[in-house]
Each structure stands twice: as C-alpha cells, then as structure tokens.
Amino acid sequence: GAEVAGVVVEGGGLAPGTRVAATTPYNGYAELALAPEQLVFPIPAALPFDAAAGFVINYQTAHLGLKRRGRLAPGETVLVHGAGGGVGTASIDVAQALGAGLVIAVAGGADKQDAAWAAGADVVLSPQEDWKAAVREHTGGRGADVVVDPVGGDVLAESLRCMAPEGRLLVVGFASGHIPEIKVNRLLLRHHDLVGVNYGGMLGVDPDFPAAAAREMFGWIEEGKLHPVVGTAFDLADGAEAMRAFAERRVAGKPVLLMR
C-alpha cells in the first residue's frame, strides 16, 4: 500500500484530469496506480502534489486522533512524540488548526527537530533531556491535555507523569518496537483516558470518516490554517533506499517518491 497524488485517468465519479490524493491497498509505488474510490480525494489548488502524496494517512490519523478520539478543545496543550516524523508533523499542524493553546514537540536529531519547528510547534524538546519536567514547566505544573504517542515503549508510561487531570493519551503506534504495559491505577488517580487511534481500523467502523476529514482539512488549507511539510524526497528509482531510510529512521517528515 501507499499514499499517492496525481490526476485521475479513468474510473469512479471523478472527471479525468482531476487533481487527487489517494491511498492504495497495494502497488502504489508506480506511475499509474489503482485506488478505491472511497480513498480518493480531490485536492485544492493550494496543495502541491509532493505535499499531497504524504497527506492522506498521516493527516487523517492526526485528525481522527486529535478531534474525534482525543476531543481536543481550543486552548488545550498538546504533547507530540516522534514529532519529526510523518504522523508527528501532521499532528502538530492539525493541533494548531484546531486551536491548541500550546503544542510541545519531542523529536530526536537536528533534522527532525527542524521538521517539528517547520510544522508549527511552539516548543521543541529532545527525547534525551528531561522532557517530562520541561512539559510541566511550560504548562505551569498542569501538564499536557492531549498526548500523541506513535512511539510506545517507555514513552507511554512516562507521558502519564506529565499529563493534566482528565488528559487523553492517544495510542497511535509503536515505533520503538515495544508495546508497553501500564498499571491502570494511574488512569484512575488522575482521571486519564488511554485512547486507541487506528486509521485503517476505523475504515470498517465508519467508512465515511475519511471523506469528511479530507473536506474539512482541505478547507483549512484554503483558509491558510494548515501548512503540510514536505518530507524527504526520493526519485521513484530509489524507492528501495527510501524504504531503508524510513525503516532506519533517517528521514524527517513523510518520505515522498517523485515520479518525474
């Protein structure tokens, strides 16, 4: 599978020549790709193809997590882990569009920290520093209202130590390679929510959510509320190297393959 962007050639309810972004179930790394109509979205003129190619899954995951599952309210503080990656940069951007009061990013390495700044983070921290203490300091001791965690491992448990009362921790993935276990008494004592966010899994629950999310976010782009960051770009012929770089966490943002 892959995210792709280009123009419609044939099929579905869209006219040939329509600029679109899409998600394919397979065979997406090609100059021509077949995608389900449900996952093909007309894109605004303000969104270039390279940004659109990395938009669908990451931005819809961020939208699903922060708006629907995380119930982010204007003025709340958001903490984003893995903030230099595709989901991380999208979450920063979407949080700002939803009116977050403060967006704190945790990203390792200068390139990924630069990507977090470019996505609109208000504060950027290193995972090697005492980021828990820094989060408490930046929030006057209250902690983060919503935490976006695509990392898992020890990050999840440690995040519970710097969350505000009634905070929501979004479980997005396990980039660390470790699925954590927690003692649920922590949830009880501080009235925390541990919330699952699964883009692919939600398709079977609510097939209409991708189109609704796309419409809202493309409207935000036209209003200047979203500013998608283009990730590291590779030529199509270098697709294997792009996958290696992604697996080894050597890329910032969402890697993009350029067809021509």
Side-chain angles (χ1 to χ4, degrees):
E3 295 174 81
V4 297
V7 297
V8 172
V9 176
E10 62 179 34
L14 296 171
T18 303
R19 299 173 73 251
V20 297
T23 299
T24 71
Y26 46 80
N27 297 336
Y29 299 163
E31 293 185 354
L32 291 175
L34 184 67
E37 185 175 358
Q38 173 196 5
L39 299 176
V40 178
F41 312 100
I43 59 177
L47 186 64
F49 284 133
D50 53 359
F55 188 88
V56 177
I57 295 177
N58 287 336
Y59 268 81
Q60 291 198 358
T61 295
H63 187 278
L64 172 66
L66 290 165
K67 183 174 182 180
R68 178 167 175 166
R69 303 290 291 132
R71 309 181 305 281
L72 177 64
E76 289 190 317
T77 295
V78 179
L79 171 62
V80 181
H81 291 289
V87 171
T89 53
S91 295
I92 293 168
D93 205 9
V94 170
Q96 295 288 19
L98 287 169
L102 180 68
V103 179
I104 302 173
V106 180
D111 56 340
K112 294 185 179 181
Q113 291 184 353
D114 287 345
W117 283 119
D122 298 304
V123 177
V124 178
L125 307 173
S126 167
Q128 278 72 51
E129 67 179 289
D130 188 350
W131 51 267
K132 300 180 295 298
V135 169
R136 290 191 290 266
E137 179 181 351
H138 283 287
T139 58
R142 186 171 184 275
D145 298 289
V146 179
V147 177
V148 180
D149 179 20
V151 178
D154 294 338
V155 165
L156 187 148
E158 293 301 302
S159 293
L160 292 172
R161 301 181 183 276
C162 60
M163 286 172 60
E166 298 188 89
R168 290 83 73 198
L169 197 160
L170 309 182
V171 181
V172 181
F174 310 102
S176 67
H178 174 59
I179 299 176
E181 297 180 1
I182 66 165
K183 295 182 178 180
V184 296
N185 64 308
R186 292 185 181 180
L187 307 181
L188 183 151
L189 293 172
R190 297 275 288 173
H191 301 94
H192 290 158
D193 291 353
L194 198 59
V195 182
V197 181
N198 179 359
Y199 171 82
M202 186 57 76
L203 293 174
V205 176
D206 181 3
D208 297 326
F209 96 85
R215 283 194 299 271
E216 180 165 41
M217 289 190 288
F218 290 153
W220 290 345
I221 288 174
E222 292 177 324
E223 295 169 15
K225 292 181 179 180
L226 278 187
H227 309 87
V229 176
V230 179
T232 308
F234 299 83
D235 289 334
L236 177 59
D238 298 322
E241 171 56 24
M243 290 297 293
R244 282 191 293 270
F246 181 69
E248 296 168 5
R249 303 171 74 175
R250 291 188 280 112
V251 295
K254 175 79 171 183
V256 175
L257 298 182
L258 303 177
M259 298 295 130
R260 298 184 178 87

